[in-house]
Amino acid sequence: MTALVVQDCGPMTTMQDAGRVGSQRFGVSSAGAMDRLALAAANALVGNGPGAAAIEFMLLGGSFTVEGGPVRVAVAGAPCPATLDGQPVSAMTSALVHAGQGLTIGPAQAGVFAYLAVAGGFDLPPQLGSLSLQPRAGIGGFHGRPFQPGDRIPLLLTEPPHGPGLALELLPLDADPPIRVVLGPQDDFFSPEGIETFLTAAYAVSREADRMGYRLTGPPIRHAKGYNIVSDGVVAGSVQVPGGGEPIVMMADRQTTGGYPKIATVISADLRALAQRRPGQAVRFAAIAVGEAQRLAREQAQAIAALPSRCRPARGGALPPIEELLALNLAGAAVDALSES
């Protein structure tokens, strides 16, 4: 059986797909990729569906060898140097890895999260409909844990790879536009001055940022009704403000309920932009209306669906960058929602 064997990897190298849906009522959050566009891009390059499982790297890369094979692989997301038996592999390009060859992905040169997709996917059992690791629940991933050196990950190869490698260009991750939010559901728990602080101050990602939540440092946000509420649902992007006044943005591995008031929710189209900010990087917020957030979510989905059509043979010449792609009329709508990273 064909398999990908882990030779080395960082401590937060995990299996992630589009996440599990419908389990929050059981206390299990969705998990899933922190950068859904990058996941979809890696999958498009190897012919998988956009939400198929891939190996997610957080800052650090990893080294792998192939048993059986050959297999087609691709890396997308935070820019990471990649080599195949010591020879450089072009960024955002699928590559063929033969049995016994070594694939090495270096640490991220910018951003945080990168994804390694394999054509056909991984032969692992889904739990609650997903392969995504949720470490606090001990489900999904590889035996309910992150990957470790020596792990042998079986692959689902239906036929040998054929055809040329593909390439796709994405916008670099060096821009830091404002993170757009919809105020609420408990913005009435904050004073007008507190809301103004939230929307005008510069915050920074703290070192206490992980897949569960991004704790930010900066000017405290003033409460008006205290900082405790009856615990209610928490979604990806919920911005909780505890007693100290510094916001915490809930991310993929968040808890399902929480008792701090939520001043706002980061829109789904901007979650990847926040996820790719490193500790120390600036974060500013801008409020938009619910209707605008919904429009941007639809455009994000259209942009992801269009990625396979934007792939080209790896030696087929220059490709339009993603910011140009997102200015095109795709599926009947102007898609500009993901022009930031």
Side-chain angles (χ1 to χ4, degrees):
M1 178 178 288
T2 306
L4 197 65
V5 181
V6 182
Q7 303 297 322
D8 189 27
C9 64
M12 281 305 297
T13 303
T14 65
M15 185 69 74
Q16 299 294 338
D17 55 22
R20 52 184 53 84
V21 177
S23 296
Q24 281 209 169
R25 64 184 183 275
F26 304 122
V28 180
S29 63
S30 63
M34 292 281 277
D35 185 336
R36 301 294 174 87
L37 176 64
L39 173 72
N43 278 317
L45 286 166
V46 297
N48 295 343
I55 296 174
E56 181 184 86
F57 305 100
M58 182 177 179
L59 292 174
L60 303 176
S63 298
F64 307 84
T65 55
V66 169
E67 289 182 357
V71 300
R72 195 176 299 282
V73 303
V75 179
C80 303
T83 60
L84 183 57
D85 278 353
Q87 298 301 310
V89 176
S90 298
M92 291 299 298
T93 302
S94 61
L96 198 61
V97 184
H98 293 273
Q101 286 190 304
L103 175 69
T104 299
I105 295 96
Q109 297 172 325
V112 179
F113 294 97
Y115 299 86
L116 170 63
V118 177
F122 299 90
D123 190 10
L124 295 173
Q127 294 182 293
L128 297 178
S130 172
L131 296 186
S132 289
L133 174 67
Q134 186 12 300
R136 289 168 178 83
I139 62 173
F142 192 78
H143 302 305
R145 60 167 172 77
F147 291 111
Q148 300 173 358
D151 287 343
R152 183 179 180 276
I153 315 166
L155 304 179
L156 283 171
L157 285 178
T158 56
E159 59 184 29
H162 60 275
L166 298 176
L168 178 69
E169 187 172 342
L170 292 181
L171 185 68
L173 292 164
D174 56 359
D176 58 351
I179 302 299
R180 291 167 290 191
V181 300
V182 173
L183 289 175
Q186 286 103 27
D187 51 316
D188 58 321
F189 270 68
F190 300 89
S191 68
E193 295 80 11
I195 293 176
E196 182 180 6
T197 298
F198 174 66
L199 294 176
T200 60
Y203 291 90
V205 178
S206 77
R207 294 193 175 275
E208 298 178 72
D210 58 20
R211 284 183 47 87
M212 184 173 182
Y214 274 31
R215 185 181 293 271
L216 307 179
T217 60
I221 297 167
R222 184 176 170 185
H223 295 83
K225 299 182 182 179
Y227 55 89
N228 287 306
I229 62 171
V230 175
S231 292
D232 65 0
V234 171
V235 300
S238 290
V239 185
Q240 292 185 322
V241 184
E246 291 183 323
I248 306 170
V249 184
M250 299 292 100
M251 304 300 278
D253 288 350
R254 65 198 176 275
Q255 72 274 21
T256 57
T257 63
Y260 293 128
K262 296 173 286 294
I263 193 171
T265 304
V266 174
I267 68 170
S268 58
D270 281 5
L271 278 172
R272 69 176 297 265
L274 179 61
Q276 294 287 12
R277 303 277 172 93
R278 291 187 170 203
Q281 282 191 276
V283 177
R284 290 182 178 274
F285 295 100
I288 63 173
V290 171
E292 177 72 359
Q294 292 170 336
R295 181 185 69 82
L296 293 170
R298 289 192 295 268
E299 292 177 350
Q300 181 187 59
Q302 293 163 356
I304 287 175
L307 286 173
S309 69
R310 307 306 300 177
C311 293
R312 296 291 183 269
R315 299 182 183 278
L319 298 171
I322 197 71
E323 62 266 35
E324 292 182 15
L325 162 64
L326 297 174
L328 297 175
N329 188 320
L330 296 175
V335 180
D336 59 4
L338 303 178
S339 59
E340 70 281 340
S341 288

